[in-house]
Amino acid sequence: MRRIAVIGLGYVGLPVAVAFGKHSRVIGFDINEQRLKELRNSHDRTGEVATAELSAAQILYTSDINDLRQADFLIIAVPTPVDEANKPDLGPVLRASASVGKALKRGDIVVYESTVYPGATEEDCAPLLEQQSGLKCGRDFFLGYSPERINPGDKQHTFTKIKKVVSGQTPEVLEIVAEVYGSVIEAGVHKASSIKVAEAAKVIENTQRDLNIALMNELALIFDRMGIDTQAVLEAAGTKWNFMPFKPGLVGGHCIGVDPYYLTHKAEKIGYIPQVILSGRRINDSMGRYIAQRTVKEMVRSGHAVLGATITVLGLTFKEDCPDLRNSGVVNILQELQEFGVRLQVSDPLADMDEAREEYGVELMAFKRLQPADALIIAVAHADFRKLSIDEIRGLMKDPPLVIDVKGIFMRDRLEAAGIRVWRL
């Protein structure tokens, strides 16, 4: 039986460690001591794993590289973000590789789950493993790649219930990787023909979603100029059996707004300039600014002075019912609104206040402390917001009331019947 270690215990790594930890002892490695302390107390601040599951899993939580020597199947599941210029930042995965390299032994298998561009595992990571270990890749130790498919906040499509793509450096390694993952994945595994194929599969999964959302966002921009309600159009078109149910909105998080840049970066390196993918990215990245500008226009039309006005924004995380703040599209709304000299009140019941302050300089307010505002932007469709009554919504605003319902979570006719001006994407 292979002895498992998981490097990186965030949204991706922790569910992996817990799944294996239900069957045998797992080494859980992370450099964040506060995170390790919380996990030892069976608390997962991301909300991905329940306390009971954490308590039941056999996991040694550690930041000591020497503990990794106990394992011979090492899974690297650290973040792979983009920088301010939207260039892939392999820093975390390369640092993790260097750490693992110091603990490598002959016969070990290193499997990457982090999103990378095709070729990165063998071309960028393997040399670091060799350098730190003094061993030869493909002879003394071996590589695998099994792209993560975690959807933060999704309690239905969890780690063990999503079919797992696996790959290995050799046919023999592929069989081992498939067997290890197959021992915990209820949905089964798909054996990719190579590591590069598995890497490419990962980046196009989210690139496809990004482009479909970009199409909906572009349609929303067009229909808004025509004075047509986009939600009503999608409801009508959705009655056809093969119409795909994508909706316009803000694109953020650790995958959809990031993965396409890994593919386009690699494409540009080999001499091809992507057209469609980058166009979709530009549309999606611009939506926060568009929503902010549209808010200001609606305020003017409602008779509100913009300079010095108060705007309340409900929601800061990148998606509903999830505490993840990474690459939140709401931040683009806030930054654009600040250019107009308004006062912002931001409230999110799931977001961590310290993280919001540290990452974005946003001071979150408790919902009950919000003062009546000139405009209310419902940016994230958290369950707490969806449950608000019309009276509660009305109480958050001055006269005349204005609601910017980004996700279209409320019945427009009911709000308008209550005298509330409504704009939605």
Side-chain angles (χ1 to χ4, degrees):
M1 178 179 292
R2 287 281 170 169
R3 299 179 299 279
I4 310 294
V6 179
I7 295 86
L9 300 175
Y11 282 89
V12 173
L14 184 62
V16 175
V18 169
F20 284 110
K22 291 179 180 178
H23 301 275
S24 60
R25 188 169 180 268
V26 170
I27 307 300
F29 181 91
D30 203 284
I31 60 174
N32 187 326
E33 292 293 344
Q34 180 60 34
R35 173 72 166 160
L36 292 173
K37 181 179 179 181
E38 292 173 356
L39 293 176
R40 292 185 188 112
N41 291 322
S42 298
H43 172 64
D44 172 26
R45 67 166 59 191
T46 70
E48 291 300 303
V49 181
T51 297
E53 288 186 286
L54 283 175
S55 300
Q58 305 171 60
I59 303 175
L60 170 64
Y61 296 110
T62 181
S63 59
D64 188 344
I65 292 175
N66 291 319
D67 286 329
L68 295 177
R69 299 181 187 277
Q70 302 175 38
D72 58 11
F73 193 96
L74 301 103
I75 300 171
I76 295 180
V78 298
T80 42
V82 292
D83 62 20
E84 292 182 357
N86 291 321
K87 297 297 182 183
D89 178 8
L90 290 180
V93 78
L94 294 178
R95 288 190 290 272
S97 298
S99 296
V100 167
K102 296 174 183 177
L104 273 185
K105 310 176 301 300
R106 294 182 186 277
D108 286 356
I109 295 176
V110 182
V111 178
Y112 288 83
E113 290 214 4
S114 304
T115 299
V116 292
Y117 46 73
T121 299
E122 295 159 295
E123 298 164 11
D124 296 286
C125 299
L128 264 178
L129 294 171
E130 290 181 325
Q131 177 186 335
Q132 294 297 324
S133 67
L135 302 174
K136 181 65 177 176
C137 184
R139 183 190 69 192
D140 301 321
F141 70 90
F142 300 89
L143 298 175
Y145 185 80
S146 182
E148 62 91 0
R149 284 175 161 172
I150 296 295
N151 183 26
D154 189 337
K155 302 305 180 184
Q156 180 180 358
H157 302 97
T158 54
F159 174 68
T160 61
K161 296 176 182 177
I162 305 172
K163 193 157 192 172
K164 200 82 167 81
V165 174
V166 296
S167 63
Q169 195 170 10
T170 68
E172 294 77 18
V173 171
L174 172 59
E175 292 304 316
I176 293 172
V177 174
E179 181 181 358
V180 170
Y181 277 106
S183 68
V184 296
I185 301 293
E186 300 171 15
V189 300
H190 172 85
K191 299 176 184 177
S193 58
S194 70
I195 288 176
K196 285 185 178 180
V197 166
E199 292 169 325
K202 167 58 180 173
V203 291
I204 72 164
E205 288 174 9
N206 287 311
T207 298
Q208 183 186 68
R209 283 185 54 77
D210 192 43
L211 286 172
N212 277 298
I213 296 171
L215 172 60
M216 296 300 107
N217 278 332
E218 187 163 57
L219 291 174
L221 298 178
I222 294 170
F223 293 144
D224 190 37
R225 284 164 172 77
M226 294 180 175
I228 301 173
D229 187 286
T230 303
Q231 301 287 340
V233 174
L234 294 179
E235 288 173 11
T239 60
K240 189 180 180 186
W241 74 92
N242 61 352
F243 186 83
M244 293 186 291
F246 287 96
K247 295 182 178 181
L250 300 170
V251 177
H254 72 301
C255 283
I256 300 179
V258 172
D259 293 2
Y261 287 122
Y262 275 78
L263 183 56
T264 58
H265 171 77
K266 185 66 174 183
E268 290 170 351
K269 285 185 68 175
I270 60 175
Y272 179 79
I273 306 300
Q275 303 296 318
V276 176
I277 298 172
L278 288 175
S279 177
R281 281 278 71 239
R282 285 192 292 271
I283 291 171
N284 286 342
D285 281 347
S286 71
M287 293 310 292
R289 293 189 299 276
Y290 178 77
I291 291 167
Q293 291 166 5
R294 204 64 177 78
T295 299
V296 171
K297 288 181 180 179
E298 290 299 316
M299 290 176 65
V300 172
R301 291 170 181 171
S302 298
H304 290 285
V306 175
L307 185 63
T310 298
I311 299 177
T312 293
V313 179
L314 297 185
L316 182 62
T317 63
F318 91 89
K319 65 180 292 189
E320 62 270 15
D321 302 327
C322 173
D324 196 346
L325 286 171
R326 289 176 293 177
N327 303 314
S328 171
V330 180
V331 175
N332 293 330
I333 299 177
L334 303 181
Q335 291 173 342
E336 184 69 14
L337 286 175
Q338 287 174 332
E339 295 292 321
F340 289 94
V342 303
R343 172 178 173 266
L344 295 173
Q345 298 182 128
V346 186
S347 183
D348 192 311
L350 299 184
D352 182 89
M353 296 184 70
D354 293 333
E355 186 180 353
R357 183 183 305 112
E358 182 178 338
E359 290 294 320
Y360 302 118
V362 175
E363 294 291 340
L364 292 175
M365 294 180 62
F367 185 83
K368 62 183 179 182
R369 293 185 55 233
L370 295 172
Q371 299 298 312
D374 296 276
L376 172 66
I377 301 177
I378 305 170
V380 185
H382 289 320
D384 284 1
F385 302 151
R386 294 196 299 269
K387 291 185 293 187
L388 291 173
S389 68
I390 290 180
D391 286 342
E392 288 173 318
I393 294 172
R394 184 66 182 79
L396 293 171
M397 294 174 287
K398 303 175 183 177
D399 287 322
L402 170 63
V403 167
I404 307 298
D405 187 4
V406 174
K407 297 287 287 184
I409 62 175
F410 294 105
M411 298 291 289
R412 181 172 190 157
D413 55 352
R414 292 186 60 196
L415 291 177
E416 291 179 337
I420 300 172
R421 185 182 183 96
V422 180
W423 181 87
R424 60 185 186 179
L425 191 59

